[in-house]
Amino acid sequence: MRIYTIPRLYCPFTQYLKTYSDEMTIAEHQIREHTSTWLLRCGLVNTPEELNHYEAQQFARMIAISYPNRGVEDLKIWCDFNTLLFIVDDILDEEKNTLDKRQQVISFITDFITVLENNSSSSIEDSAIFRALSDVWRRMRKRTTYAFQQMFIQSIRDMFAGGIWAYDHIANGRKPQLAEYLENRQFLGAANFATDSLPFSAGVYVPANIYKYPPIQQLTIHCRNAICLANDLFSLGKEKEFNADFNIVSILENTRGLTVNEAIKEAAVIHNAVVRDFVRIAKSVLIFDTDTNKMIRKYIDALCCLMAGNIVWSTENTTRYPHHYGYRTKVY
């Protein structure tokens, strides 16, 4: 695998994270111990080597730093769900796996949604993934409202729709164009799922009428895109080993005739422009009554934690995305 060097990305939000506090360390330890036990109990990993593989990716660390103001019990559930999705992502990415055929992928998605809608599926008994999904969803349902659960299921549908969009491009030999990629990337990368889940994962709720306010919608989309663009850069080496067509660096190479290093720098420029516009909009949205402004401020802070947590975890903690990070260049 080639290890690419990624420029330092603009993200002025690390002050929202409690990265090295005693409180964070204790929470991370408790979350990690719980999720490791859960992976073994559900049969998602079956050997010490498999467990070590996922523990080295530090999902508990990602959850602890990205949601610094949530209680540990909720974050244990959230880490379980996120770890399960990473495992699903790994399965769907493996070309040798039987899920690489479209109809099999759709059948998998249908069963996944059926578990969420009915907490049952004919596949539960035969699949560690669906047994684990049923278990974690049962625990999450006890701590959430029906309205949240319906929104959450739709978010999962949108996430999988992004995967089908990519699969259809691959099956038809079509490379994505930049505009359509930027439109779909938030779903392909499950960033919609991260922001939509904030009422549970961060304890942050924004009323529907405020959430639909166009500047709030744009802040949400900017957050999702910033997370995904950063991930494209950090995961470039890993993706180039298989199929990197759905990575902004490769798209910039293909559509603008850039070298890979030129495309990396241009991708950083795009990321940083998104974050700068997020900062600009965030300064102008506190125009409501005091209580509403407090809710919006909490929501914006939670989005900032997602963006900052993703970068800190990707560059300092996980083994999932090998890369070199941090040289400074004029990409701001």
Side-chain angles (χ1 to χ4, degrees):
M1 179 191 302
R2 179 176 174 183
I3 305 299
Y4 293 92
T5 300
I6 308 303
R8 184 169 294 276
L9 300 177
Y10 178 64
C11 186
F13 311 128
T14 54
Q15 71 270 20
Y16 293 98
L17 308 180
K18 303 172 184 176
T19 313
Y20 299 108
S21 68
D22 291 341
E23 176 187 1
M24 183 65 61
T25 301
I26 293 170
E28 178 190 348
H29 175 76
Q30 292 176 345
I31 296 165
R32 184 176 63 252
E33 289 294 309
H34 164 83
T35 295
S36 294
T37 300
W38 181 77
L39 289 171
L40 290 165
R41 177 168 58 82
C42 292
L44 290 170
V45 298
N46 297 296
T47 67
E49 291 76 19
E50 289 178 343
L51 182 61
N52 290 339
H53 170 72
Y54 282 106
E55 285 188 337
Q57 295 184 40
Q58 298 273 14
F59 298 132
R61 179 69 172 170
M62 176 191 72
I63 296 299
I65 64 175
S66 298
Y67 306 95
N69 301 310
R70 198 56 166 162
V72 169
E73 294 307 312
D74 286 323
L75 293 184
K76 288 177 182 178
I77 297 172
W78 195 231
C79 188
D80 290 350
F81 209 111
N82 277 265
T83 304
L84 176 63
L85 289 183
F86 276 112
I87 291 172
V88 169
D89 183 59
D90 289 343
I91 292 171
L92 294 176
D93 277 349
E94 289 179 4
E95 294 181 355
K96 64 182 180 181
N97 195 277
T98 57
L99 291 177
D100 63 341
K101 298 203 170 27
R102 189 180 194 278
Q103 191 53 52
Q104 290 171 312
V105 172
I106 291 175
S107 295
F108 176 86
I109 293 170
T110 299
D111 282 339
F112 199 100
I113 297 297
T114 298
V115 172
L116 296 179
E117 290 183 330
N118 305 321
N119 206 35
S120 65
S121 166
S122 59
S123 300
I124 285 181
E125 295 304 318
D126 300 325
S127 168
I129 286 176
F130 294 125
R131 289 195 301 272
L133 175 62
S134 178
D135 175 83
V136 70
W137 182 234
R138 173 184 54 79
R139 289 181 285 132
M140 189 181 293
R141 286 170 59 207
K142 290 180 178 180
R143 304 174 79 91
T144 57
T145 65
Y146 178 79
F148 171 84
Q149 292 158 23
Q150 295 307 300
M151 181 274 296
F152 185 89
I153 292 170
Q154 184 57 50
S155 185
I156 294 289
R157 288 183 185 276
D158 294 340
M159 177 191 75
F160 280 130
I164 293 297
W165 169 81
Y167 181 89
D168 286 345
H169 273 67
I170 295 170
N172 293 308
R174 289 187 287 125
K175 294 182 183 296
Q177 298 300 304
L178 182 60
E180 64 173 334
Y181 178 74
L182 292 175
E183 181 179 347
N184 286 280
R185 181 64 175 94
Q186 59 181 299
F187 307 110
L188 181 62
N192 67 303
F193 165 78
T195 61
D196 289 347
S197 301
L198 286 172
F200 173 75
S201 59
V204 174
Y205 171 76
V206 178
N209 63 314
I210 301 298
Y211 185 75
K212 292 177 181 177
Y213 178 50
I216 298 295
Q217 288 276 286
Q218 191 58 60
L219 286 173
T220 304
I221 293 171
H222 276 344
C223 171
R224 294 172 179 177
N225 284 337
I227 290 169
C228 291
L229 292 171
N231 181 260
D232 277 359
L233 287 160
F234 301 139
S235 65
L236 181 63
K238 179 182 177 183
E239 292 185 27
K240 287 276 191 183
E241 290 283 287
F242 302 100
N243 185 336
D245 286 347
F246 294 86
N247 184 298
I248 192 171
V249 175
S250 295
I251 292 171
L252 291 171
E253 288 181 85
N254 295 332
T255 60
R256 298 186 181 178
L258 303 178
T259 67
V260 65
N261 287 326
E262 290 170 340
I264 287 171
K265 183 175 180 179
E266 182 62 20
V269 169
I270 294 171
H271 169 277
N272 294 341
V274 168
V275 177
R276 286 197 176 280
D277 202 49
F278 179 98
V279 172
R280 179 188 65 81
I281 296 171
K283 293 176 180 178
S284 66
V285 295
L286 301 180
I287 60 172
F288 301 93
D289 61 85
T290 300
D291 289 342
T292 301
N293 284 343
K294 285 181 179 178
M295 285 190 293
I296 293 172
R297 183 70 260 173
K298 287 182 179 180
Y299 182 68
I300 292 172
D301 289 352
L303 297 179
C304 291
C305 286
L306 290 178
M307 289 184 282
N310 177 59
I311 289 178
V312 170
W313 174 70
S314 297
T315 59
E316 298 181 13
N317 304 128
T318 188
T319 60
R320 192 172 181 85
Y321 308 122
H323 65 279
H324 297 307
Y325 180 68
Y327 76 84
R328 295 187 181 276
T329 185
K330 294 181 181 179
V331 295
Y332 300 148

